[in-house]
Amino acid sequence: MTESSVHPALWPAPHASGAVDATVTVPGSKSVTNRALVLAALSSEPGWLRRPLRSRDTLLMADALRAMGVGIEETVSSSSSVAGGPDGSGEAWRVIPAGLHGPVTIDVGNAGTVMRFLPPVAALADGPVHFDGDPRSYERPLNGVIDALRVLGARIDDDGRGSLPMTVHGVGALDGGPVAIDASSSSQFVSALLLSAPRFNQGVEVRHTGARLPSMPHIRMTVDMLRAVGAQVDEPETGGEPNVWRVSHSALLGRDLTIEPDLSNAQPFLAAALVTGGRVTVPDWPLSTTQPGDALRDIFTAMGGSCELTEHGLTFTGSGRIHGIDVDLGEVGELTPGIAAVAALAASPSTLSGVAHLRLHETDRLAALTKEINELGGDVTETADGLHIRPRPLHGGTFHTYDDHRMATAGSIIGLAVPGVEIENVATTAKTLPDFPQMWTRMLGV
């Protein structure tokens, strides 16, 4: 009897028998979808989101906004026969703003965007909004948002924890104004305040006072999306004061937005080309984007591949040899698990730095990667702000995911080159990448 027949939650990661050659259509970006939902909900007129991501995190966001009174209608065009198909083509969500209200209880799951972006929205509601979620959500920091909202005029009950569960007592408006926060543990603290700021009576001035701010591309994404719906934003990137963002009070416009493919979720498929010496094409890869996943073009090329970006998409080709890399991932930390998996299969050591904040993500990703790769025979050492990876011959075994979608895809990458790897709870990939197991096996022609 096999282990996976005893433990149905174990998924045998497919082992590649040769070089992959596939076209993989990646669903829409979670980061863009959830920001777009918040902005559309706060707009002065209805808007459209086309090709949105349908995943646990985005459906939690949509359900939370609906609970507070926002209308979100899901439609499918005649060209798409299945709602929420793997590429989302033909699907659109019509978002109809309405007066926000409580009392209501919101389930955030373990979605950082939901637990951090929605408390400022709840402060604009008329009535109490209670936030709860998965057990891990209680361990993830929210103090940056909670403390800032109190300074800006909100009343919040969290029993002094600085984390979930908590209740925001909305009174229909929020004063806003200047606030200083330490967002070194999550750039989402800054984005959370900026997204709702146009609806604050005085707008907002957010000043980051802590150490290095991680994941700056996500803040740039927030700023670009705010401007696209008519907000006035002063930021460091355009000559503003360093570490200070100012958003003026204004009405937001309803827009018709097509969601980009999620480039971070393209990572395992590009990694498959690198690991197997094959070729993978991702259609509709944007020529210009604020998504952190776009950095994969440079990172994976440095690790031994090559890429061609055209108006039709990105084609990545592996050379058959994987090089180690010394790279600062501070701006693109979410890519760390997949890069670590590839590095464990390389011909030379790698050092991944700038990602101490990953200890506060869906799980402690640095500790989890170290433990799981080492239990397959690897040699990974945790550093103060990252990982040092010395390649070793790996063997099969169980790769635990800790309910973290990027751990599941990292283990799947290793399984391409190492027979006998079984992924515990691969279903956790539904957080941001629905149908990942089916997409993975289709890529391999299984």
Side-chain angles (χ1 to χ4, degrees):
M1 181 177 290
T2 65
E3 187 179 15
S4 53
S5 66
V6 176
H7 302 286
L10 294 178
W11 181 65
H15 180 249
S17 58
V20 301
D21 187 356
T23 295
V24 179
T25 300
V26 178
S29 164
K30 175 204 75 173
S31 298
V32 175
T33 299
N34 274 357
R35 282 166 173 79
L37 280 169
V38 171
L39 291 173
L42 296 177
S43 294
S44 58
E45 55 192 353
W48 288 91
L49 275 62
R50 303 191 186 277
R51 299 185 65 177
L53 173 66
R54 288 182 57 89
S55 71
R56 188 187 186 211
D57 279 17
T58 61
L59 293 176
L60 284 169
M61 180 68 86
D63 287 345
L65 291 169
R66 286 189 182 106
M68 286 190 283
V70 177
I72 302 177
E73 301 173 351
E74 302 181 30
T75 65
V76 182
S77 74
S78 59
S79 62
S80 178
S81 60
V82 181
D87 67 349
S89 59
E91 183 166 7
W93 293 352
R94 185 168 186 255
V95 182
I96 305 168
L100 303 171
H101 63 76
V104 66
T105 294
I106 287 175
D107 176 14
V108 308
N110 191 20
T113 52
V114 181
M115 70 179 73
R116 291 168 182 148
F117 291 178
L118 287 187
V121 176
L124 298 169
D126 185 7
V129 180
H130 183 68
F131 290 84
D132 209 334
D134 297 351
R136 171 63 179 172
S137 72
Y138 292 9
E139 303 171 19
R140 301 184 68 182
L142 267 177
N143 54 296
V145 174
I146 293 171
D147 294 345
L149 286 175
R150 285 179 174 143
V151 169
L152 297 175
R155 177 187 159 206
I156 301 175
D157 292 335
D158 69 332
D159 293 332
R161 289 182 300 270
S163 62
L164 296 177
M166 69 176 187
T167 300
V168 178
H169 296 273
V171 294
L174 194 67
D175 290 340
V179 64
I181 63 172
D182 181 353
S184 55
S185 62
S186 176
S187 68
Q188 290 177 350
F189 295 165
V190 174
S191 288
L193 297 170
L194 300 183
L195 287 168
S196 292
R199 289 283 302 272
F200 298 168
N201 294 336
Q202 303 173 42
V204 76
E205 176 188 280
V206 180
R207 183 179 300 271
H208 167 61
T209 60
R212 177 184 179 181
L213 190 60
S215 304
M216 279 298 297
H218 278 128
I219 296 179
R220 288 194 284 271
M221 177 188 294
T222 298
V223 169
D224 285 356
M225 293 183 68
L226 276 162
R227 287 175 173 157
V229 294
Q232 297 179 4
V233 186
D234 178 32
E235 55 151 348
E237 293 287 319
T238 53
E241 187 178 349
N243 289 325
V244 177
W245 292 261
R246 297 182 180 91
V247 181
S248 302
H249 172 78
S250 67
L252 298 179
L253 306 175
R255 294 298 195 198
D256 190 323
L257 175 67
T258 299
I259 307 296
E260 296 176 351
D262 194 313
L263 307 188
S264 294
N265 278 341
Q267 181 182 36
F269 305 100
L270 301 185
L274 188 55
V275 168
T276 68
R279 178 176 61 187
V280 168
T281 296
V282 178
D284 301 321
W285 192 288
L287 297 176
S288 177
T289 181
T290 54
Q291 287 193 61
D294 195 45
L296 289 167
R297 293 190 290 134
D298 292 332
I299 294 170
F300 278 173
T301 295
M303 297 186 79
S306 62
C307 65
E308 180 183 11
L309 177 61
T310 71
E311 60 184 9
H312 303 296
L314 178 76
T315 296
F316 188 84
T317 305
S319 64
R321 183 172 177 81
I322 304 171
H323 308 302
I325 192 170
D326 187 339
V327 61
D328 184 332
L329 298 174
E331 292 210 343
V332 293
E334 66 193 46
L335 304 179
T336 302
I339 293 169
V342 173
L345 302 171
S348 55
S350 295
T351 299
L352 314 182
S353 60
V355 288
H357 61 285
L358 294 189
R359 294 186 171 98
L360 300 171
H361 275 222
E362 281 81 345
T363 188
D364 180 341
R365 285 178 171 166
L366 300 184
L369 288 164
T370 299
K371 178 178 181 294
E372 296 309 312
I373 295 174
N374 286 350
E375 289 192 353
L376 298 183
D379 185 358
V380 181
T381 303
E382 203 174 328
T383 66
D385 71 339
L387 301 171
H388 185 62
I389 303 168
R390 303 169 192 84
R392 296 285 186 271
L394 302 182
H395 56 72
T398 300
F399 196 94
H400 298 92
T401 63
Y402 310 91
D403 295 324
D404 185 336
H405 58 130
R406 301 211 191 277
M407 287 296 296
T409 53
S412 301
I413 292 168
I414 293 174
L416 290 172
V418 180
V421 174
E422 294 191 305
I423 311 299
E424 175 257 343
N425 188 22
V426 73
T428 194
T429 53
K431 176 180 172 69
T432 61
L433 191 56
D435 302 323
F436 168 74
Q438 293 83 1
M439 294 173 67
W440 197 244
T441 54
R442 281 198 301 268
M443 174 192 69
L444 295 170
V446 177

